[in-house]
Amino acid sequence: NFQQQQPATSNQHSKTIQSSYSSSVPLGWVAWLSLLLWRRASTIVGGLESLIGLVLPTSLPVTMSLSIKQQQALAVVPKISGFTSFLFSGLICFTVLRDETKRKSPYHRLVCGISIVDMSSSFWLGLSTWPIPADSNVIYAVGSNTTCRLQGFWTQAGIASSFYNVSLSLYYVLVIRLGWKQARLGRVEPWLHIVPISWGLG
């Protein structure tokens, strides 16, 4: 009888420890961990940029010329891959937004956020050489300085997708490891959206 009751008692004890541990984790710890991760990423990116600046000169001479067919391929292929990515990212957003249950789920809202950012970057990458100024002698270029800058800005803003993945990973830690429920996640979730979007637009 003692051997049969022991595993149940042990399981109850482990569950008690886990529940008390998860309930004792303050929200401040979560915010601090999020800021630390993004600050570390910023430091790493800045260090890499400095290292590249030391190794490579500020301007590299163009010594390679491309044939017309190669230029056409480099201009057309991003259109295919970019708009394909745009289509399927939009499909994910549509799947989440049309379902009321998924709209109420923090997980699905994070996935939808990632997909929206991917839609933006995929669209501008899919435009390929079109936004480049028409007088630049680049194949299929029909844009202006304004459209070129817009493409550069929104393409660079796509880095928010990477930080959205950090938010999704943090969500997994809170739900799977610490056992947070949806009501408690609601107090943290806005920051899981605000930080990636602010980073991308900054």
Side-chain angles (χ1 to χ4, degrees):
N1 291 335
F2 175 75
Q3 291 179 349
Q4 292 178 353
Q5 295 175 357
Q6 187 175 5
T9 304
S10 177
N11 290 336
Q12 292 175 356
H13 181 65
S14 62
K15 289 180 180 178
T16 303
I17 294 176
Q18 184 177 1
S19 61
S20 61
Y21 174 73
S22 61
S23 61
S24 64
V25 178
L27 291 177
W29 178 87
V30 177
W32 175 83
L33 179 60
S34 303
L35 292 175
L36 178 62
L37 288 173
W38 282 300
R39 188 172 181 181
R40 289 288 185 183
S42 175
T43 304
I44 293 172
V45 171
L48 289 176
E49 290 178 349
S50 301
L51 180 61
I52 292 173
L54 292 173
V55 175
L56 298 178
T58 55
S59 61
L60 296 175
V62 178
T63 58
M64 180 178 65
S65 59
L66 300 175
S67 66
I68 297 298
K69 289 186 177 180
Q70 289 174 327
Q71 294 179 44
Q72 289 174 338
L74 289 175
V76 171
V77 170
K79 291 177 171 59
I80 299 173
S81 59
F83 286 112
T84 301
S85 175
F86 177 85
L87 175 64
F88 285 98
S89 295
L91 183 61
I92 293 174
C93 291
F94 175 75
T95 303
V96 173
L97 295 176
R98 70 189 294 267
D99 190 324
E100 184 178 358
T101 303
K102 291 178 180 177
R103 290 200 304 268
K104 294 179 179 179
S105 166
Y107 166 77
H108 286 98
R109 285 196 291 261
L110 286 172
V111 171
C112 187
I114 296 174
S115 300
I116 291 173
V117 173
D118 286 342
M119 284 179 65
S120 173
S121 59
S122 297
F123 173 79
W124 288 99
L125 286 172
L127 294 180
S128 185
T129 57
W130 284 337
I132 297 175
D135 58 356
S136 61
N137 295 323
V138 176
I139 195 167
Y140 305 141
V142 294
S144 62
N145 288 330
T146 301
T147 58
C148 189
R149 289 173 180 171
L150 281 172
Q151 184 186 41
F153 175 83
W154 288 109
T155 301
Q156 181 63 28
I159 195 174
S161 178
S162 300
F163 290 91
Y164 250 123
N165 279 281
V166 175
S167 294
L168 190 60
S169 299
L170 185 59
Y171 167 85
Y172 289 140
V173 172
L174 296 177
V175 173
I176 298 174
R177 179 65 181 87
L178 302 180
W180 281 31
K181 302 301 181 183
Q182 185 167 336
R184 194 175 186 188
L185 284 168
R187 292 180 286 175
V188 178
E189 185 190 355
W191 293 103
L192 301 182
H193 295 277
I194 290 172
V195 175
I197 293 173
S198 300
W199 186 279
L201 296 179

